[in-house]
Amino acid sequence: MVGDAGTGAARELSLVLAVALAGLLLAVVAVFTPWHATPDGAAPAAPVELRSPTELPATTAG
């Protein structure tokens, strides 16, 4: 029974492996591709300025 697997099983297995390899390739590309665009000569993004919740807000004129 096990030896009766024909070309259909081999074709299905090769399709599954091809899809798995394509997914792995896409995952590797997503990991190693820069996710943000920076203009030429621009400084890298700065961290967010942290403020204390007890700090008073700045007054506005008006």
Side-chain angles (χ1 to χ4, degrees):
M1 218 183 248
V2 175
D4 292 339
T7 59
R11 189 180 327 138
E12 185 176 352
L13 184 59
S14 64
L15 179 65
V16 168
L17 290 176
V19 170
L21 287 175
L24 185 62
L25 177 68
L26 286 174
V28 168
V29 167
V31 167
F32 291 111
T33 302
W35 55 272
H36 57 83
T38 57
D40 292 336
V48 175
E49 183 178 342
L50 298 177
R51 296 184 176 259
S52 171
T54 60
E55 186 176 334
L56 296 175
T59 58
T60 58

